[in-house]
Amino acid sequence: MHVPDVSVVVIVYNDAERLSTAVQSVLDQTLHGVEVVIVDDCSKDRSYAVAQELEAAHPGRVRAFRLPENSGGCGAPRNHGIRQATGTYVMFLDSDDVLERNACRNMLAAAERTGSDLVSGMCVRVHLDNRWGKTTEWYPWIYSGTRTLESITEYPDLLVYDTLSTNKCYRRAFLLEQGLEFPVGIHYEDLLFSAQAYVAARRITLIPNHVYFWNVVEKAAAKSISNRRHEIANFVHRMEIHRRVDELLAAKGHTDIKTAKDAKFLKHDLVLHLRDLPLLGDAYRQEFARLANGYLAGIDPAAYDSVNHLQAICAYLLGKEDWDNLLLAADAMTNKGRLTSPLAERDGRIYWCAGHLDDAEGRRILDVTEQGFHTTALPSLSLGNRLTSYEDDGRGTVTLSGAVVNPLGRIPEGQELKATLEFRARRQIGVRSFAFPATTVRHAGDTIEWTATADVAGTVRPLGIIDAVWDVRLKLTAGTERITTRVSVGGVDLESAARLRVRPRLTRLVSDRFEPEVTKKGNLSYVLTAEGAAAVRTRTLIDSAMHGKAAGVVKRGLRKALRARRNIGSGEQKVKVYHEVFSKLPLKKGTVVFESHMGKQYSDSPKAIYEEMVRQGVPFEAIWSYAGGKPTGFPKEATLVRRWSWPYLRALAQAEFWIDNQGFPLALTKRAGTTYIQTWHGSALKRMGFHEPRTKAQGKAGQDRFQAAVDRFDHFLIRSEHDARTLAKGFRLRDEVLMRSGYPRNDALVEAHRAEVESGERVRGSLAADLGIDPDKRVLLYAPTFRAAADGAVENFAFPFDVEEFADRLGDRFVLLVRTHYLNSVSLPPSVAGRVIDVSRHHDITPLLALADGLITDYSSVMFDYAVLDRPMMFFAYDYEAYATDIRGTYFDLKEKAPGPVVATADELMQAVSAFDEADVKYAEARRRFLTEFGEYDRGDAARQIVEKFFTRSGK
């Protein structure tokens, strides 16, 4: 008898409608040696009958089994499936999901090639009720490339984050030898089973392929077991599973994995339940706290350092059962970016709340200085606005009262206050909003209290069916500042609130009431519904008609029209119009499109070239791209176009020149008559382009797209032969494309160094005065490289040293300028004011480099530019081994070639700064060697070379 390569265990309970689709996804696999083992968990519907029909239709390929009684979970049917499977490998599939067509083939190939006990591929969440067809890859950074592990200790993130059992292929002999089974009678069985399998596996292989499509219905009437978080039994099960996993890790001595798992518990498992707390009663909260705090007591304290500030704050406040502050923090965590607490300031530090500051651990966790709430402009903050009372008269008028948080009293007593309450349609058909002036707005300590009465019945006129959901906002004016807030429900009970009468413009026969509703994030909204008898009958008739054949034709036409309307502004449609319409227009001679860092700045070499063209009086039309909202800092003489707007696309299509330092959109083909000057933005320490393993792992299609994008470069500026060997080779650029001119942005630095050598003195210029720098102090610029979380998410920059200690120890001699990467942000404590200055908003770093007496960096390419000045450099490489040996790798060993001390600890850094003058002399020769190798073409005339070559008569 032929043994199947893979047995796919499909479990089902009361899901007769979808079972066939799941099984068909197995039968359609490109690997033919696959069997289906269906296990029905004693369903009450036709699930087992459907399973038997599938068995009869596919003899030898499908087998059907039924448990004698319902087990109430996934564990028992999966265990039965393992026992019945005959394949060399086993996979699991839920009846409401499907396998990717090549899943079995890809996983089998990886297992046979590597001899792994377990192969894991990427799961994709498919949001079935999302009208845009939304899909989400499950922890994609884990599956960025093929990787084989000899032990889970090599990559703890796998156990910590990917706890699914369904995106994996297991050697059946391995499961039987290890006695691996799912726990029965308890939910979250995947967590324990996956942990056991990871720990027991002698070899694990990860593949970057999609293997499993997890179908998700966010608005399902009946939530899945794991999504019923308001049921306390659900949390009991979660805690028990976590305890069992902890016992497993302890038994195997995996303490490092336990710490990482604790961090994940704080940032994921606990967060899922904390989000619901503001909407649940006291009895639930008390039992939740009892269960959670018993587990939190065993959490490794180091885990708190790996989570964001709100996750740590919520866990700490839960441990203290400080419900008032915890509910505010939970609201802030649910509504990303919202500030719900009034904050407190002590000794130059900012804390989430005033309580618990006598506890050292409390001070550490509640410290939010780095979040910058105290320095961010009030209109840019999303201030919490909590509903305090809700009254309606039963006839269509509602009176709301609330309190807007006033952080650190930044809205001072006596400041004039005004407010309006706004009802706004979520789906904007034109502009649909109605405003009501607040009857009371006043200071009340840590908050601004307000009351507003809205005559909804007499004023709000929705269209009807189209604008079904309306959100509530309060617009507060404090002096000259205007602040918009969402109204969160908080603890106000809306169960008994009446539906408000409204008069829709289309017809009252369909909708005639506004029903108050709490959104998923806990905010107040109103849903348009029907109450009158005629309205209910009409709604029923419409709902019935909407499912008929004629309705199908209408709905398809409507969907097509809406899709066409939506696609007008989509990226796909814009690319199509760019190529088929704009690229047929004539080129406009003398038109130059400039862009710096994808439109985020007016800076860098594009700026230097533009200003040189202006200086030389070149006749040209300058168009600058900008990203985001209102552009700031760009030249008034230039035409400004928003990146990816229609004017931007037309400008690129008709321009004679493109000049940028990073890359115009990859999907846009450059016309033959357009010259693309790519200035780039720095020499490379880390591997780039096709030298990166991740680029190689993209496959041929992805590599071809990348190659087509870099092939658009007509000229690529380099500043050394190091660039030719690294960047140019990494981008596969032809030698004739390379322009050995140096970087235009560095012309000013070359000139500054030349003037300093000739005059023998340092001229600081107006920038030092603008920043309030003491002329008797040395200026150090701290410019670290870009930092992201493990999943690639951009986060606030976290100082790798104590900035207050730095200021206290060295602030009498030095001023530290902090300039993070443009994608990162930083906040400084008030206590270091004047001694440490955040200059991250100075888009152009060149004047900062010219100002600085010394540079502190880690791996930023700014080191190559600063070398032109021949001034001291220090390298705070606290994570060098991880940085240098990660998946990308480096082109050279920084420790061998660094033109200054390379230090690994904060204390070593401060000692190096203390010995500033000694380092200046000690590393003088190293700096000269460094500049010779990495900046040989920076001669101070790069911008002039480019302008004369391309834009003046002598050049053309």
Side-chain angles (χ1 to χ4, degrees), residues 4-288:
D5 293 314
V6 180
S7 295
V8 179
V9 176
V10 182
I11 64 169
V12 61
Y13 176 70
N14 288 351
D15 198 17
E17 185 177 343
R18 293 179 292 190
L19 176 59
S20 296
T21 302
V23 171
Q24 194 62 47
S25 75
V26 183
L27 297 174
D28 289 342
Q29 288 291 299
T30 53
L31 178 70
H32 297 301
V34 180
E35 74 162 352
V36 184
V37 178
I38 305 174
V39 183
D40 173 53
D41 197 10
C42 199
S43 296
K44 298 176 181 177
D45 69 353
R46 292 193 69 254
S47 292
Y48 184 55
V50 172
Q52 291 177 309
E53 291 165 5
L54 289 167
E55 181 180 43
H58 304 279
R61 295 200 67 193
V62 178
R63 291 184 292 137
F65 302 89
R66 186 182 194 186
L67 298 186
E69 60 182 6
N70 178 250
S71 68
C74 300
R78 285 181 183 157
N79 291 338
H80 190 77
I82 294 172
R83 291 190 289 271
Q84 297 298 334
T86 61
T88 306
Y89 296 89
V90 176
M91 294 176 62
F92 302 106
L93 173 65
D94 292 346
S95 61
D96 52 350
D97 300 330
V98 294
L99 292 183
E100 195 275 335
R101 192 165 180 264
N102 299 293
C104 293
R105 177 184 294 278
N106 289 332
M107 300 182 98
L108 175 69
E112 295 291 274
R113 184 178 66 253
T114 62
S116 294
D117 290 327
L118 189 161
V119 175
S120 190
M122 195 184 301
C123 172
V124 180
R125 285 166 59 94
V126 180
H127 301 264
L128 297 179
D129 54 352
N130 181 275
R131 54 184 173 174
W132 315 125
K134 177 183 175 183
T135 61
T136 309
E137 293 180 334
W138 190 253
Y139 298 114
W141 84 85
I142 292 176
Y143 298 98
S144 59
T146 301
R147 180 172 185 172
T148 298
L149 312 172
E150 299 299 325
S151 166
I152 190 61
T153 58
E154 294 179 21
Y155 196 35
D157 275 4
L158 184 59
L159 182 147
V160 171
Y161 290 97
D162 187 0
T163 56
L164 301 177
S165 65
T166 48
N167 60 332
K168 297 171 177 61
C169 181
Y170 311 84
R171 193 180 299 274
R172 186 166 64 93
F174 159 69
L175 296 179
L176 298 176
E177 289 167 6
Q178 298 294 329
L180 293 182
E181 289 191 338
F182 290 87
V184 176
I186 187 168
H187 307 324
Y188 305 106
E189 55 278 296
D190 272 20
L191 273 71
L192 181 57
F193 180 83
S194 295
Q196 292 171 329
Y198 284 141
V199 169
R202 288 162 296 221
R203 185 171 293 163
I204 302 167
T205 294
L206 312 180
I207 61 174
N209 311 81
H210 291 170
V211 299
Y212 193 92
F213 294 113
W214 175 5
N215 292 325
V216 180
V217 181
E218 297 286 353
K219 300 173 183 175
K223 292 290 186 183
S224 67
I225 292 170
S226 59
N227 281 329
R228 298 201 292 265
R229 291 187 291 271
H230 61 283
E231 299 175 8
I232 197 66
N234 189 285
F235 190 60
V236 172
H237 285 217
R238 188 185 288 271
M239 292 294 89
E240 177 58 26
I241 285 291
H242 274 282
R243 287 190 183 92
R244 295 188 191 183
V245 174
D246 291 346
E247 290 171 1
L248 170 70
L249 296 177
K252 299 294 184 180
H254 294 323
T255 54
D256 290 344
I257 299 179
K258 170 64 165 61
T259 301
K261 177 187 164 294
D262 285 347
K264 196 249 188 173
F265 176 82
L266 294 176
K267 68 172 64 174
H268 175 72
D269 301 82
L270 187 62
V271 165
L272 289 176
H273 292 267
L274 285 173
R275 286 174 175 165
D276 297 328
L277 278 186
L279 305 176
L280 298 170
D282 289 339
Y284 178 96
R285 293 175 191 167
Q286 296 300 329
E287 181 62 10
F288 175 79

Side-chain angles (χ1 to χ4, degrees), residues 324-335:
D324 289 341
N325 285 310
L326 172 58
L327 295 180
L328 294 177
D331 184 11
M333 189 165 53
T334 303
N335 295 275

